[in-house]
Amino acid sequence: MMRYISTRGQAPVLTFEQAMMTGLARDGGLYVPEVVPVFAPETFAALAGQSYEDVAFAVMKPFIGDTFTDAEFRGLLTRAYAGFGHAARAPLVQIAPNHFLLELFHGPTLAFKDFAMQIIGQMMQAALARSGERITIVGATSGDTGSAAIEAFRGLANVDVFILYPHGRVSEVQRRQMTTPTEANVHALAIDGSFDDAQARLKDMFNDFAFRDGVRLAGVNSINWARVLAQVVYYVYAAVNLGAPARKVSFTVPTGNFGDIFAGYIARKMGLAIDQLVIATNHNDILDRAMRSGDYKTDGVRPSISPSMDIAVSSNFERALFDAYGRDGAAIDALMGELKSGGFRISQGALSMLRATFASGRCSEEETLATIRATLANSGQLLCPHGAVGVKVAEDHMGAHDANRGPMVTLATAHPAKFPDAVEQASGIRPPLPPRMADLYQRPERVTLVPNDLQALMALVRERIAI
Ligand SMILES: *Cc1c(COP(=O)(O)O)cnc(C)c1O
């Protein structure tokens, strides 16, 4: 049975099911597997050509252990990915010699977060149905996570889902994806404040243990281990279909909270033949600066045209630091204490490990727009601004290395129609929504405006779930 430990070393050791239901550890840390299973090269090779769901089963099974029977887990995977608009789920598209896009935007909310959220919804509901318990999901979002969570949990019998988003500060598509579902267990809350306010109130709720236990609060933000695990699957799927393990594949990942690229790191730890793992940031570049200078220092957040990567600090980076510091929970706890007052210096040993593991680069706003234009001209592919950040940084890294290296895969994390203003500004083309959601602008909206006030929020949650 696989066990999960906290990066700060003080929280109880949990099973997969407990780690999924808990989200943030009670010592403030993040759960990671005690040991990452390693697959033989033949095991990876045998996955080439298999369906996404079959690859997901093989990759996730050792991590979830006997949480579900094999038949049950296969059923959950089938349901999770049935609503995707592409039979391949995560198709590869070539945009230049040796450079591929992994399209992760064919899910119900048009961003990669659907890959993890859909299967988590299914796994949580199955576990709860067995125990007869209910949980309350509360999430804070700058846009993509909230819509993906609502889409994944809508109508599930044992779950209420509350999503806090900053009033007036998400895109219209993102807002409508959160406010138009009609199911009674969905609660879209527009907070009178910023995304940071929403996230701070969410943290406060989790730190109020009486409230947390009383409403059986569960979190699905990107620090939930089950989300990372579900994202490992598409690294394996892409790599084996491009010739791994016989040839190594590199990945460039548009990065915000470091959840997505950390999944790539786990895939490599499992033995997948990954060459480079490249962190791509927009002008909110704390990670790129840290990789270059060794100083992990916050510098505020400047809005960008790739808003899902607008972060001051990357919460999942803690997981990489945990390994880089030899899994020393006390050291991580001390670093996170320093982070509260602005930042810390990464030790020389840890920095060497991180540099041996990740490359990095940043992309300015002008470069993002220019990359959307150039990629359209050179390949016919219309990128969303996040994918464009990835493509630009990938090109910089491909240019710096010899052509005998294996293929580069850039993760296209959202559909261009999710960010139509920036795409139109860059290319002159206003990308339409896929036909299956073309009526999004006609559906009635349902949302509650809430003050930036913890007590009021907790009262509202209690009242809605009638505990
Ligand atoms: C969430 C998101 C990202 C950043 O992913 P992380 O796991 O937070 O690094 C990038 N692009 C899009 C479109 C996203 O929604």
Side-chain angles (χ1 to χ4, degrees), residues 112-113 144 254-260 308-309 386 413-414:
F112 82 87
K113 295 188 173 71
D144 289 340
T255 297
N257 263 326
F258 209 78
D260 206 2
S308 302
M309 296 153 67
H386 307 78
T413 48

Side-chain angles (χ1 to χ4, degrees), residues 330-363:
I332 299 303
D333 199 42
L335 291 179
M336 294 303 142
E338 284 182 58
L339 185 58
K340 288 202 182 102
S341 43
F344 53 82
R345 180 147 187 86
I346 302 170
S347 75
Q348 203 49 52
L351 190 60
S352 313
M353 179 280 192
L354 290 170
R355 284 181 177 157
T357 310
F358 301 102
S360 75
R362 90 188 292 264
C363 176

Side-chain angles (χ1 to χ4, degrees), residues 83-251:
F84 278 53
H86 197 298
R89 311 307 182 219
L92 282 161
V93 173
Q94 188 162 12
I95 54 168
N98 229 14
H99 193 179
F100 297 81
L101 285 180
L102 182 61
E103 291 187 348
L104 299 175
F105 52 69
H106 296 283
T109 71
L110 308 180
F112 82 87
K113 295 188 173 71
D114 290 324
F115 276 90
M117 213 63 89
Q118 285 291 324
I119 185 63
I120 289 197
Q122 294 298 327
M123 290 193 293
M124 282 189 172
Q125 173 58 34
L128 291 165
R130 194 156 63 192
S131 65
E133 287 166 347
R134 291 189 64 84
I135 55 166
T136 305
I137 302 274
V138 185
T141 187
S142 55
D144 289 340
T145 301
S147 49
I150 284 176
E151 200 56 49
F153 289 99
R154 62 191 291 185
L156 296 185
N158 297 50
V159 182
D160 271 288
V161 55
F162 293 81
I163 297 297
L164 281 165
Y165 69 84
H167 183 48
R169 302 193 203 185
V170 297
S171 82
E172 185 173 2
V173 173
Q174 290 173 325
R175 188 192 74 233
R176 286 181 172 276
Q177 285 178 334
M178 293 188 275
T179 58
T180 57
T182 54
E183 289 83 355
N185 73 328
V186 171
H187 312 272
L189 308 178
I191 190 170
D192 186 11
S194 65
F195 170 60
D196 289 323
D197 293 325
Q199 205 160 28
R201 294 300 78 72
L202 177 69
K203 239 187 173 155
D204 293 343
M205 283 188 234
F206 271 89
N207 285 329
D208 185 325
F209 288 161
F211 176 78
R212 178 173 174 169
D213 296 338
V215 305
R216 292 194 41 97
L217 200 58
V220 290
N221 58 2
S222 73
I223 55 102
N224 191 307
W225 165 256
R227 274 185 64 180
V228 174
L229 173 59
Q231 291 167 191
V232 175
V233 174
Y234 49 69
Y235 286 90
V236 176
Y237 185 68
V240 298
N241 284 310
L242 285 171
R247 60 177 189 164
K248 284 192 166 190
V249 178
S250 294
F251 290 91

Side-chain angles (χ1 to χ4, degrees), residues 210-352:
F211 176 78
R212 178 173 174 169
D213 296 338
V215 305
R216 292 194 41 97
L217 200 58
V220 290
N221 58 2
S222 73
I223 55 102
N224 191 307
W225 165 256
R227 274 185 64 180
V228 174
L229 173 59
Q231 291 167 191
V232 175
V233 174
Y234 49 69
Y235 286 90
V236 176
Y237 185 68
V240 298
N241 284 310
L242 285 171
R247 60 177 189 164
K248 284 192 166 190
V249 178
S250 294
F251 290 91
T252 301
V253 187
T255 297
N257 263 326
F258 209 78
D260 206 2
I261 193 158
F262 189 76
Y265 167 79
I266 294 291
R268 183 155 65 190
K269 270 186 112 166
M270 293 175 73
L272 187 66
I274 295 180
D275 183 6
Q276 293 184 284
L277 265 179
V278 186
I279 301 163
T281 76
N282 64 23
H283 61 208
N284 294 298
D285 59 353
I286 181 171
L287 287 165
D288 184 47
R289 283 185 287 114
M291 293 297 293
R292 283 187 286 114
S293 70
D295 286 322
Y296 190 72
K297 287 242 167 10
T298 60
D299 190 19
V301 183
R302 279 189 295 152
S304 80
I305 53 171
S306 44
S308 302
M309 296 153 67
D310 289 347
I311 46 92
V313 296
S314 289
S315 43
N316 277 290
F317 192 49
E318 179 169 341
R319 288 189 160 112
L321 288 169
F322 183 58
D323 278 3
Y325 277 82
R327 302 207 136 198
D328 178 350
I332 299 303
D333 199 42
L335 291 179
M336 294 303 142
E338 284 182 58
L339 185 58
K340 288 202 182 102
S341 43
F344 53 82
R345 180 147 187 86
I346 302 170
S347 75
Q348 203 49 52
L351 190 60
S352 313

